[in-house]
Amino acid sequence: MSAMVDTQALQPVPPRTDGSAVRIGALVPLTRPGWVEAGQHLLAGLELGVRDVNDSGGVLGRPLELVVRDTAADPRRAAAAVEELAGLGVAALAGEYHSVVARAAAAKADALGLPFLCSSAVLDALTEQPTDRVARLAPAQSHGWRIYGDFLLGAGHRRIAVAAQPSVYWESGARILREHLAPRGGTVIELDKGSLAPSAVCDALVDHGATALLLLTGLPEPAVSIVRAVRGDKRLGDILLGAPAGQPELAEWAALLGEDGAGIPFLRYLPERLGPLGARVGTALRERLGRAPSFVAFEGYDTVAVLAGVLRTGEVDRERMAASWAGVAVEGTRGPIRFSRTAGISVWQWVWAPVQVADRDPAAPDRFRVLRTG
């Protein structure tokens, strides 16, 4: 990663219009404590999107160029990167995976007048106040996690425990599930946040009579230790483990847990079948990554497709770009993308990316099963 500069000494400058590259700032978690594998997939999608745009002539005869900054899942680092990128004259900002980090980036981008297309973060309240400068591709947490709640009810689970680390994102997820399940006869039991020791979690599940445990925790720890403990506890042989935030999607999960990591439902944002564009991009992403691409990689590619579509209308000016979300109509890898205003969401939102509840097949952990769509 390029060295950070003194952001206090920078003043935002307008994007260049001399025929040079149109620069897009990209925020991705590439080092710990960020979810590095998710960042690698997101960056692979962004880079492939830029390559395809440039291979087709660029935008208005100018190539796209990514200026990448590693957020490392740190909101303050992300905000500093946004200020730096604004000063470097990027036309727009793209990316980010972690919701809390994306929220910090969105606030700074909005304050600086920099258009930001958020690729993957789902927190409903991405900005404190409604803004025209920020748009998002991933479905809002309230949308996806309600679908997950319906899956739990449909599978017969009414007493659902959550092991949650302190975080705005995890707390929001637990609240969404509680409010969605309660009128339908479901109960969400929040385990003691100060005691996520695996043995204590197992004892609490027995004491509360829970039939499902949702892991609202980071990877690898404490998620891996909790999964191993529950799988090894004879009292909990029938309990369903779930990870709605999508941890089992990526190869790191399978590598760490093997067979223990299978049969754990999670959310991902893919259609039942990819169309021709999605299939072509999926093949290229597999070649780039050396393994099957996750939904996060497709989000990265679609981010560039949308920004290129806006730029091809001649809107390189930041203010005009920010006013263009309502007119976006782009064929993405997972379907047609349009943005609109949605109740309770403060940014321009794609309503909605396809949603699946999936898991790794216990009979073949490298294979995914789709358990529900929405």
Side-chain angles (χ1 to χ4, degrees), residues 25-77:
L27 302 177
V28 285
L30 295 174
T31 54
R32 297 286 189 188
W35 195 348
V36 173
E37 190 177 0
Q40 292 169 342
H41 282 238
L42 179 56
L43 182 58
L46 291 166
E47 289 177 337
L48 181 63
V50 167
R51 189 200 73 180
D52 283 359
V53 168
N54 290 341
D55 285 350
S56 64
V59 292
L60 305 178
R62 299 168 61 185
L64 288 184
E65 177 188 337
L66 282 183
V67 185
V68 181
R69 292 294 180 267
D70 173 20
T71 64
D74 184 337
R76 290 177 297 180
R77 183 167 174 169

Side-chain angles (χ1 to χ4, degrees), residues 167-227:
S167 162
V168 171
Y169 173 66
W170 300 124
E171 290 165 4
S172 173
R175 175 183 52 77
I176 290 165
L177 289 170
R178 187 186 316 110
E179 294 175 354
H180 186 67
L181 295 177
R184 297 163 176 81
T187 300
V188 172
I189 304 159
E190 295 192 53
L191 304 185
D192 183 4
K193 294 177 183 176
S195 179
L196 288 182
S199 59
V201 169
C202 292
D203 291 341
L205 293 174
V206 174
D207 293 343
H208 288 290
T211 65
L213 170 66
L214 304 187
L215 301 164
L216 310 190
T217 66
L219 180 71
E221 295 298 339
V224 168
S225 294
I226 293 173
V227 170

Side-chain angles (χ1 to χ4, degrees), residues 115 132-133 310 315 317-327 348:
D132 285 330
R133 295 188 177 94
V310 172
E315 307 298 353
D317 176 82
R318 289 175 180 171
E319 287 299 321
R320 292 178 181 175
M321 284 187 70
S324 298
W325 302 121
W348 286 94

Side-chain angles (χ1 to χ4, degrees), residues 236-263:
L236 303 173
D238 294 329
I239 200 159
L240 174 77
L241 285 168
Q247 298 96 317
E249 166 85 3
L250 297 175
E252 181 183 10
W253 178 272
L256 290 168
L257 283 164
E259 293 181 357
D260 283 346

Side-chain angles (χ1 to χ4, degrees), residues 12-135:
V13 297
R16 296 174 65 179
T17 58
D18 58 1
S20 59
V22 179
R23 308 178 84 191
I24 303 296
L27 302 177
V28 285
L30 295 174
T31 54
R32 297 286 189 188
W35 195 348
V36 173
E37 190 177 0
Q40 292 169 342
H41 282 238
L42 179 56
L43 182 58
L46 291 166
E47 289 177 337
L48 181 63
V50 167
R51 189 200 73 180
D52 283 359
V53 168
N54 290 341
D55 285 350
S56 64
V59 292
L60 305 178
R62 299 168 61 185
L64 288 184
E65 177 188 337
L66 282 183
V67 185
V68 181
R69 292 294 180 267
D70 173 20
T71 64
D74 184 337
R76 290 177 297 180
R77 183 167 174 169
V82 172
E83 191 162 359
E84 178 197 1
L85 290 165
L88 292 175
V90 299
L93 194 67
E96 194 44 52
Y97 175 80
H98 297 283
S99 283
V100 175
V101 179
R103 186 174 64 166
K108 180 62 71 172
D110 189 33
L112 296 174
L114 183 60
F116 176 28
L117 179 52
C118 182
S119 302
S120 197
V122 300
L123 196 66
D124 281 37
L126 199 58
T127 58
E128 292 295 331
Q129 301 295 329
T131 177
D132 285 330
R133 295 188 177 94
V134 182

